[in-house]
Amino acid sequence: MDKKALSERDICTKFITPALERAGWDIQTQVREEVSFTAGRIIVRGRMHIRGKRRRADYLLSYQKNQPIAVIEAKDNKHSLGDGMQQALAYSDALDVPFVFSSNGDGFLFHDRTGLGSQTETVLGLDEFPSPEMLWERYCRYKGIGPVERPIVEQPYYDDGSGRSPRYYQRIAINRTVEAVARGQDRILLVMATGTGKTFTAFQIIWRLWKAKQKKRILFLADRNILVDQTKNNDFKPFGQAMTKVTNRTVNPSYEIYLSLYQAVTGSEDEQNIYKQFSPDFFDLVVIDECHRGSAAVDSAWRRVLDYFASATHIGLTATPKETKEVSNIDYFGEPLYTYSLRQGIEDGFLAPYKVIRVDIDRDLQGWRPSKGQRDKLGQEIEDRIYNQRDFDKHLVLEQRTELVARKITEFLEGSDPYQKTIVFCEDIDHAERMRQALVNLNPKRVAENRKYVMRITGDEQEGKAELDNFINPEERYPVIATTSKLMTTGVDAQTCKLIVLDQRIQSMTEFKQIIGRGTRINDDYHKHWFTILDFKKATELFADPDFDGDPVKVYQPRPDDPITPDDELPPGELPLDPPAADNAAGIESGWNGYEVEPGTTWQSDDSLALGPVGGPREPRRKYVVNDVAVSVVAERVQYLDAQGDLITESLRDYTRKKLQEQFASLDAFLRRWHAAERKQAILDELAEQGIFWEELINELGKKLGDEPDPFDVICHIAFDRPPLTRRERAEQVRKRDIFTRYEGQARCVLESLLDKYADAGIEPIEDPKVLTLAPFSAIGAPMELVHAFGGKTGYTRAVNELGDALYQFSE
């Protein structure tokens, strides 16, 4: 047997797998081959999308299910033993495994990342592969897991038999957390982007610790009633009769798993706090969902619950670590044990990519000042000062501005899909109501079809709030557009939301991430693979902040002489008045936005009152309404994410030129690659994966040419300043040269039809043999008949390649 002639798969089957079996690895339970651990980044093409390549490990070895400890990269025998090592090390980074192997069938190159071996890399023979017990023992020493901790760490995951298994990043979060708890760590923070399965991750952590009897009584805290109910009825359902939800301000100490609202276990100083019905050491583990919402604030009522159960292990879960000038989750929990960012989720294909449409309005940029003594629509004399974006819809209402925003939203929906789920984030409840009215008036046909086409969904109004479940239900068409303020910023699993409108001034990175998270979920069944952000308030300028995708860092760390209160603290009276709805028994809304609302406080839906400093008296706030100030759009710009998940801040043309010149050093280099390719479309697909936006570029250049150019011309023109041609011009030049003279009959008709097909749709369809099954070819003859007209498949392929060469020949 000539080993050099064997394929990579043959090397695996004949040499690597037998070596693993001889070393004692159970092929059925401990060894997985060709493991795809990402979904493949979604690449958007106009209204269509494709999936990029998945990351795939040749072998993933686990001591037990869902606890991978080694990865093997295989190569054919034409490669050296270590040729796959760098690729394998990249996989080990992603999969969090310390033992890395590369093989070409002659043996193994072993890279030990634990530092416990005699040297980092070692060459092993085929009969020297380490056993599962040997690697697991070294893994445990590397992780600081002794004999006492091993039963906890080895506790299996919950398995319902359906075949559902955690994604690779969920496994990492679960395994790291269980190991940390086993070692005695008592404060843990997990940062996972919205839509990546934090609750399922929390369930598996709790299940394993509970089953191992490491943690016997567990409290799971969330900040929304809907979150608690979803958790209880879905991910946590396997806990069955051992689980209860804390309600009615009474507790039953006979359960083991308790789910509760933060608000349901706190109360005023005059009331007995429900959590004090438990002894301080009652709970072994407290898991805090959405912990950015106040659990880290030293003066928060929620924090008092954690302080009371201080002896328990505390695990914080968040998509957006609370890192402000006053509040830091890192101070409380320590550095995150694991972070899975929005950027990584998009890159892996588990989260939806997006584009940003920035609309700048003249009054927002220039401001507005009333004339002396000018009165508003309500007869109030308007305070004489310059009003700017900070004031609009909070202190000053320009009715024509509201109508303009509503009109742009309507234009976008009508130009794409008028029934795509849309959330419009407004400044406050009053703004949300005015926006609802404007959208209703601009969409009379849709509203006549169903009055719930547009709904205000805010915490103060039962009719709208009752429609929240219908809005997030993919099977319900209505409501289509939801206008809101704060209610839908978190805890709303809007899987099919395709448009997020920002007409709210957002200064908090935490709130910004939460809002964007409403659109990041993917739903294949309902064709939700990407979303759009329509930004009227420059909120997306926060994209430039390194916090957006990176690990959480502290924004502000005062020096000894610095004030703890930041300079840009909102002045008294500027606290927004649209908190999360109080859905607990006592109607208490404590801890929201770092403020504590006293029991009995009534939030005003008309925003006519404002809170002063916490605990201070209410002060009247004036809001002026002006209906005769004209507003207009100054600029409108579309921005995109590149292949790394970063927002492209330069022009799309400049970005494309840079990316293309990274790939092709010169025009000659590009032409050599283009003409050597068996399929031109393969080059275009590869460039799309690397962040080239063909649809947008073709449309932009096509507007100048009057017809669509070939992507070939887009490349030559943008990267190398060559004059572009349209596809029809290219097709016409081929016809003038009459290159089909040696073909006749059906073969000639096929080639001429292929040329027409190219002029209409580009190179991709003519390179696809299935094109012969479509019109007009089906009228010329059956596919096999047409191929035989060229003397067979080889002759047909040669003729198509000649046509491709002819189309691009004259540009050299």
Side-chain angles (χ1 to χ4, degrees):
M1 179 173 58
D2 182 5
K3 212 179 208 182
K4 300 289 184 191
L6 296 178
S7 67
E8 181 182 299
R9 186 80 328 241
D10 287 333
I11 293 294
C12 292
T13 303
K14 298 177 185 300
F15 297 98
I16 298 177
T17 300
L20 296 176
E21 289 183 289
R22 289 194 298 272
W25 292 85
D26 187 321
I27 301 301
Q28 298 300 317
T29 62
Q30 294 180 311
V31 179
R32 291 185 61 202
E33 296 186 52
E34 296 189 297
V35 181
S36 293
F37 58 92
T38 67
R41 180 186 173 88
I42 291 174
I43 301 163
V44 181
R45 291 180 173 174
R47 298 189 185 184
M48 307 297 290
H49 78 283
I50 60 173
R51 285 274 188 179
K53 293 178 182 177
R54 298 183 176 193
R55 298 188 74 186
R56 180 182 61 83
D58 289 326
Y59 287 85
L60 191 61
L61 309 185
S62 302
Y63 181 69
Q64 60 184 30
K65 189 175 180 180
N66 292 315
Q67 290 186 294
I69 56 175
V71 63
I72 305 173
E73 180 60 27
K75 297 293 182 186
D76 62 40
N77 201 248
K78 298 185 186 74
H79 290 81
S80 70
L81 195 65
D83 273 1
M85 180 52 70
Q86 293 191 147
Q87 187 176 351
L89 286 168
Y91 291 155
S92 79
D93 284 339
L95 295 168
D96 200 34
V97 297
F99 306 121
V100 190
F101 298 86
S102 172
S103 178
N104 64 355
D106 290 339
F108 298 92
L109 180 63
F110 173 32
H111 186 110
D112 183 356
R113 305 189 75 164
T114 68
L116 299 175
S118 57
Q119 56 188 41
T120 303
E121 289 196 350
T122 310
V123 175
L124 305 175
L126 285 173
D127 292 324
E128 296 179 299
F129 197 89
S131 69
E133 292 73 23
M134 186 184 304
L135 287 186
W136 181 245
E137 182 64 36
R138 188 176 294 186
Y139 178 89
C140 288
R141 283 194 288 132
Y142 167 59
K143 291 283 190 171
I145 301 167
V148 174
E149 294 81 26
R150 280 186 61 162
I152 303 167
V153 173
E154 293 173 3
Q155 178 64 43
Y157 281 59
Y158 173 78
D159 188 346
D160 63 3
S162 67
R164 180 188 183 187
S165 60
R167 291 172 175 168
Y168 82 91
Y169 61 84
Q170 293 171 336
R171 277 201 310 263
I172 296 171
I174 294 163
N175 291 337
R176 284 191 184 182
T177 302
V178 170
E179 290 166 2
V181 173
R183 291 193 302 264
Q185 187 172 331
D186 59 5
R187 298 292 181 268
I188 294 168
L189 178 63
L190 294 176
V191 180
M192 297 172 66
T194 300
T196 56
K198 290 192 297 296
T199 309
F200 174 70
T201 301
F203 163 72
Q204 290 288 3
I205 292 168
I206 295 170
W207 177 270
R208 291 177 63 195
L209 294 173
W210 181 59
K211 280 293 185 180
K213 301 189 185 306
Q214 172 70 7
K215 303 296 180 185
K216 297 178 181 179
R217 293 196 186 98
I218 295 102
L219 174 62
F220 180 88
L221 288 171
D223 72 328
R224 294 286 176 87
N225 204 42
I226 190 172
L227 289 179
V228 174
D229 290 340
Q230 285 176 354
T231 300
K232 184 173 185 288
N233 298 329
N234 298 322
D235 287 320
F236 279 40
K237 192 174 181 179
F239 287 122
Q241 297 302 310
M243 173 176 57
T244 187
K245 176 184 174 182
V246 177
T247 57
N248 299 323
R249 305 196 64 75
T250 59
V251 299
N252 184 338
S254 64
Y255 292 92
E256 297 174 71
I257 311 294
Y258 293 79
L259 283 71
S260 176
L261 286 167
Y262 290 102
Q263 299 94 324
V265 290
T266 61
S268 71
E269 295 297 330
D270 298 330
E271 296 176 321
Q272 179 184 10
N273 291 316
I274 190 171
Y275 63 86
K276 291 184 178 177
Q277 295 181 36
F278 297 104
S279 64
D281 59 355
F282 183 83
F283 292 111
D284 306 305
L285 173 64
V286 180
V287 178
I288 308 100
D289 191 25
E290 304 292 356
C291 66
H292 62 276
R293 290 188 66 86
S295 60
V298 174
D299 59 350
S300 168
W302 304 351
R303 174 68 176 270
R304 292 202 296 269
V305 180
L306 304 186
D307 290 340
Y308 185 76
F309 298 118
S311 62
T313 298
H314 294 174
I315 299 174
L317 305 172
T318 183
T320 53
K322 187 84 167 182
E323 299 304 318
T324 70
K325 296 179 172 95
E326 306 84 18
V327 179
S328 170
N329 262 322
I330 291 176
D331 284 343
Y332 184 78
F333 291 103
E335 293 291 334
L337 191 65
Y338 181 62
T339 296
Y340 188 73
S341 68
L342 173 66
R343 174 188 296 171
Q344 191 63 52
I346 292 174
E347 186 177 314
D348 288 344
F350 295 125
L351 296 178
Y354 50 88
K355 65 180 178 182
V356 177
I357 300 176
R358 277 267 309 276
V359 181
D360 293 333
I361 297 174
D362 58 353
R363 297 298 178 183
D364 289 22
L365 301 179
Q366 301 162 9
W368 177 77
R369 184 175 181 178
S371 57
K372 187 175 182 179
Q374 183 173 349
R375 295 184 178 274
D376 74 347
K377 185 178 179 181
L378 305 176
Q380 303 176 101
E381 184 173 334
I382 304 171
E383 180 186 351
D384 184 14
R385 65 180 178 87
I386 295 175
Y387 293 84
N388 54 33
Q389 189 185 72
R390 178 191 290 265
D391 300 296
F392 293 145
D393 296 301
K394 185 176 289 187
H395 302 139
L396 176 73
V397 174
L398 298 180
E399 289 190 333
Q400 292 190 33
R401 185 189 180 285
T402 305
E403 292 168 7
L404 174 62
V405 171
R407 188 164 62 250
K408 298 303 289 186
I409 295 169
T410 301
E411 286 175 9
F412 179 87
L413 291 174
E414 289 295 332
S416 49
D417 173 12
Y419 294 99
Q420 60 187 297
K421 296 281 187 174
T422 300
I423 305 176
V424 185
F425 287 97
C426 303
E427 287 289 352
D428 53 32
I429 292 173
D430 173 58
H431 184 200
E433 172 57 23
R434 287 185 289 100
M435 186 62 68
R436 184 197 66 80
Q437 294 173 23
L439 287 165
V440 165
N441 289 331
L442 285 167
N443 292 273
K445 178 182 174 183
R446 310 291 177 198
V447 174
E449 290 173 3
N450 192 302
R451 69 176 181 83
K452 295 180 181 179
Y453 180 77
V454 186
M455 292 291 291
R456 171 167 64 91
I457 301 179
T458 50
D460 72 313
E461 204 262 335
Q462 292 303 316
E463 172 75 14
K465 203 163 62 168
E467 291 297 323
L468 180 57
D469 286 344
N470 289 329
F471 181 82
I472 65 179
N473 184 351
E475 296 182 3
E476 294 289 342
R477 169 171 274 196
Y478 300 101
V480 174
I481 304 173
T483 67
T484 190
S485 176
K486 299 290 182 186
L487 181 63
M488 299 176 71
T489 58
T490 184
V492 177
D493 189 7
Q495 296 180 27
T496 55
C497 177
K498 290 187 176 181
L499 177 63
I500 291 175
V501 181
L502 302 178
D503 198 26
Q504 180 184 112
R505 190 167 181 266
I506 303 168
Q507 293 179 289
S508 161
M509 179 62 67
T510 295
E511 187 174 15
F512 179 65
K513 288 187 187 180
Q514 287 291 342
I515 287 174
I516 298 308
R518 301 313 102 208
T520 56
R521 286 169 174 81
I522 293 170
N523 190 311
D524 292 310
D525 294 337
Y526 291 90
H527 311 292
K528 160 67 189 302
H529 299 102
W530 71 91
F531 69 103
T532 303
I533 302 169
L534 188 53
D535 181 12
F536 292 92
K537 286 286 183 83
K538 291 192 173 183
T540 49
E541 288 183 349
L542 290 169
F543 275 113
D545 194 311
D547 272 2
F548 184 68
D549 289 315
D551 291 330
V553 297
K554 295 182 181 178
V555 177
Y556 177 68
Q557 186 171 358
R559 293 168 296 193
D561 296 331
D562 289 342
I564 190 65
T565 304
D567 294 336
D568 59 353
E569 177 87 26
L570 284 176
E574 289 203 0
L575 176 63
L577 289 183
D578 188 12
D583 45 12
N584 60 83
I588 298 165
E589 295 172 327
S590 58
W592 178 69
N593 270 6
Y595 288 79
E596 186 175 330
V597 182
E598 293 300 320
T601 295
T602 301
W603 291 94
Q604 302 295 320
S605 62
D606 65 359
D607 199 24
S608 61
L609 296 177
L611 289 180
V614 177
R618 289 178 174 274
E619 296 176 2
R621 173 193 293 166
R622 284 192 174 184
K623 181 181 284 189
Y624 305 108
V625 181
V626 181
N627 60 359
D628 57 355
V629 175
V631 296
S632 62
V633 172
V634 174
E636 194 166 326
R637 179 183 179 191
V638 180
Q639 292 179 287
Y640 305 89
L641 289 180
D642 67 13
Q644 285 70 49
D646 296 321
L647 197 73
I648 299 169
T649 55
E650 59 205 303
S651 73
L652 198 56
R653 185 186 182 91
D654 290 343
Y655 166 80
T656 303
R657 177 190 290 266
K658 181 176 69 177
K659 298 300 289 185
L660 289 173
Q661 290 179 349
E662 287 174 2
Q663 294 294 314
F664 309 109
S666 64
L667 177 61
D668 288 342
F670 165 66
L671 293 176
R672 283 195 299 271
R673 171 85 185 280
W674 184 264
H675 290 301
E678 290 185 17
R679 288 183 61 250
K680 315 299 189 229
Q681 188 62 39
I683 297 177
L684 303 181
D685 290 343
E686 179 184 324
L687 290 171
E689 281 191 40
Q690 295 171 14
I692 301 299
F693 297 89
W694 292 120
E695 186 86 14
E696 289 76 12
L697 293 165
I698 288 170
N699 288 341
E700 181 181 309
L701 189 54
K703 288 177 183 177
K704 297 178 181 178
L705 298 177
D707 202 352
E708 283 197 358
D710 191 294
F712 174 90
D713 287 280
V714 172
I715 295 172
C716 292
H717 177 64
I718 291 180
F720 306 110
D721 297 319
R722 292 293 295 267
L725 296 175
T726 68
R727 290 198 305 264
R728 295 190 189 283
E729 288 173 333
R730 287 198 170 280
E732 191 58 35
Q733 294 210 19
V734 172
R735 284 196 179 91
K736 287 178 181 177
R737 295 205 303 277
D738 197 17
I739 66 167
F740 304 140
T741 51
R742 65 189 181 89
Y743 296 99
E744 57 186 24
Q746 284 181 314
R748 174 98 183 203
C749 287
V750 167
L751 289 172
E752 288 176 346
S753 296
L754 283 173
L755 198 56
D756 290 337
K757 180 68 74 173
Y758 165 81
D760 289 336
I763 194 70
E764 183 175 14
I766 74 171
E767 292 185 331
D768 186 350
K770 293 179 182 176
V771 73
L772 298 179
T773 65
L774 307 175
F777 305 98
S778 54
I780 302 173
M784 290 304 296
E785 180 186 350
L786 298 181
V787 169
H788 285 310
F790 291 89
K793 184 177 180 180
T794 301
Y796 173 74
T797 302
R798 182 171 57 249
V800 171
N801 288 339
E802 289 173 356
L803 174 59
D805 290 342
L807 282 167
Y808 301 110
Q809 178 184 2
F810 66 92
S811 288
E812 294 192 46

